[in-house]
Amino acid sequence: MNVPAPNTPVAGSEDRAPAVRAMFNDIAPKYDTANRVLSLGLDQWWRRRAIKALGESRTGVVLDLCAGTLDLSRMLIDEGATRVIAADFAEDMLASGSHKFTDVDPIEIMCADARELPIEDNSVDGIICGFGLRNVPELHRALAECARVLRPGGTIVVLDFFQPIGFIPRLLQGTYNRLIVPTVGGIITGFGDAYRYLNQSIDAFYTADEFASQLHDVGIEAKAHSMFPPVAHMIEGQLRNG
Ligand SMILES: C[S@@+](CC[C@H](N)C(=O)[O-])C[C@H]1O[C@@H](n2cnc3c(N)ncnc32)[C@H](O)[C@@H]1O
């Protein structure tokens, strides 16, 4: 049995937020390097595709939710976003990515919990969230916040690893995440447990279709799309008008 270290978050438990925050603060300095190595560079390609999926919303005011080291925020500004609001509750993740911007870039970086966003109702044209919502306890609160801040007709794109369906995908993804990810992630960041948590968090998460129906419950019409290779999925949704 996999026994988590004392400071390791337990996926599925409601009080794991402080441990999740501490874990991301720990791995922040090496987070980008670990991503590139573990995904063989695919992570940035997935992010670019997610930005395109925002459609016209990407040139308006966009919330980068669970923004981490701000890769998606950088891409949004490069795509012509009027303003990017980058929100994350791990201040060291945000600090590690802040060098990606200059003073003239239209970005507002805020340390905030996805379950309680200090953002006005109906004030953003689009929301993007990369690999973040899987880590948020009380997911329904975070999704209700997305529906609250998004303007009617606005678009949300969620890129993440969801629970795989079918024996072969489960076997392949589970083996890679159990054997390779903690070892390589541990060598790069010095925190192997953080990368053991990745697999746990996927196991405890929804399938992509189940996630889309959670969005439906807060008034967002959503559809799941598989990425290549089909380990990552993208959920595209639009807030219903009225
Ligand atoms: C795997 S990283 C993803 C970062 C970035 N979006 C990316 O594409 O690489 C997950 C991020 O979600 C943030 N996070 C987790 N739970 C959160 C919460 N309740 N509120 C705000 N941010 C949260 C973590 O601090 C972390 O930076």
Side-chain angles (χ1 to χ4, degrees):
M1 194 177 102
N2 216 348
V3 181
N7 218 8
T8 308
V10 177
S13 76
E14 286 299 310
D15 61 353
R16 71 188 195 281
V20 167
R21 187 162 164 263
M23 179 187 81
F24 280 107
N25 278 332
D26 282 343
I27 63 173
K30 297 286 181 184
Y31 174 81
D32 286 352
T33 309
N35 271 352
R36 304 298 178 270
V37 173
L38 288 169
S39 74
L40 306 173
L42 281 171
D43 63 318
Q44 290 292 69
W45 186 66
W46 289 331
R47 286 188 187 88
R48 269 190 283 278
R49 283 202 50 201
I51 302 261
K52 294 275 181 228
L54 275 176
E56 286 184 7
S57 299
R58 71 181 187 276
T59 56
V61 177
V62 188
L63 168 63
D64 180 3
L65 186 62
C66 300
T69 56
L70 306 168
D71 276 340
L72 283 164
S73 295
R74 179 68 260 166
M75 288 178 191
L76 283 165
I77 290 173
D78 293 342
E79 283 286 322
T82 318
R83 190 160 66 97
V84 174
I85 304 169
D88 197 291
F89 73 173
E91 59 277 16
D92 293 352
M93 288 290 278
L94 295 170
S96 291
S98 58
H99 70 274
K100 296 169 187 170
F101 303 89
T102 67
D103 289 345
V104 296
D105 284 324
I107 184 163
E108 182 186 346
I109 299 174
M110 57 172 67
C111 194
D113 193 310
R115 298 168 295 180
E116 202 170 353
L117 293 168
I119 299 175
E120 282 182 24
D121 296 1
N122 305 333
S123 61
V124 305
D125 301 298
I127 299 178
I128 195 145
C129 183
F131 311 104
L133 285 168
R134 179 171 24 89
N135 302 288
V136 178
E138 304 174 290
L139 180 69
H140 57 282
R141 280 182 61 192
L143 297 187
E145 280 293 83
C146 289
R148 180 182 68 76
V149 303
L150 198 57
R151 68 159 169 77
T155 307
I156 178 167
V157 174
V158 176
L159 170 66
D160 216 320
F161 302 119
F162 295 88
Q163 207 182 113
I165 299 174
F167 177 72
I168 301 286
R170 288 186 81 82
L171 182 73
L172 294 178
Q173 204 168 318
T175 306
Y176 185 77
N177 287 343
R178 248 183 284 276
L179 300 181
I180 313 281
V181 172
T183 309
V184 178
I187 291 168
I188 295 172
T189 64
F191 294 94
D193 280 337
Y195 287 86
R196 259 181 281 285
Y197 162 77
L198 171 76
N199 194 50
Q200 269 188 26
S201 67
I202 295 170
D203 277 349
F205 201 38
Y206 295 106
T207 65
D209 286 334
E210 285 168 350
F211 185 89
S213 79
Q214 295 289 312
L215 282 172
H216 190 267
D217 291 348
V218 296
I220 296 172
E221 298 295 341
K223 210 169 174 325
H225 305 272
S226 175
M227 310 290 274
F228 176 82
V231 288
H233 284 76
M234 185 167 71
I235 316 294
E236 276 176 71
Q238 285 202 317
L239 186 65
R240 283 194 285 268
N241 283 301

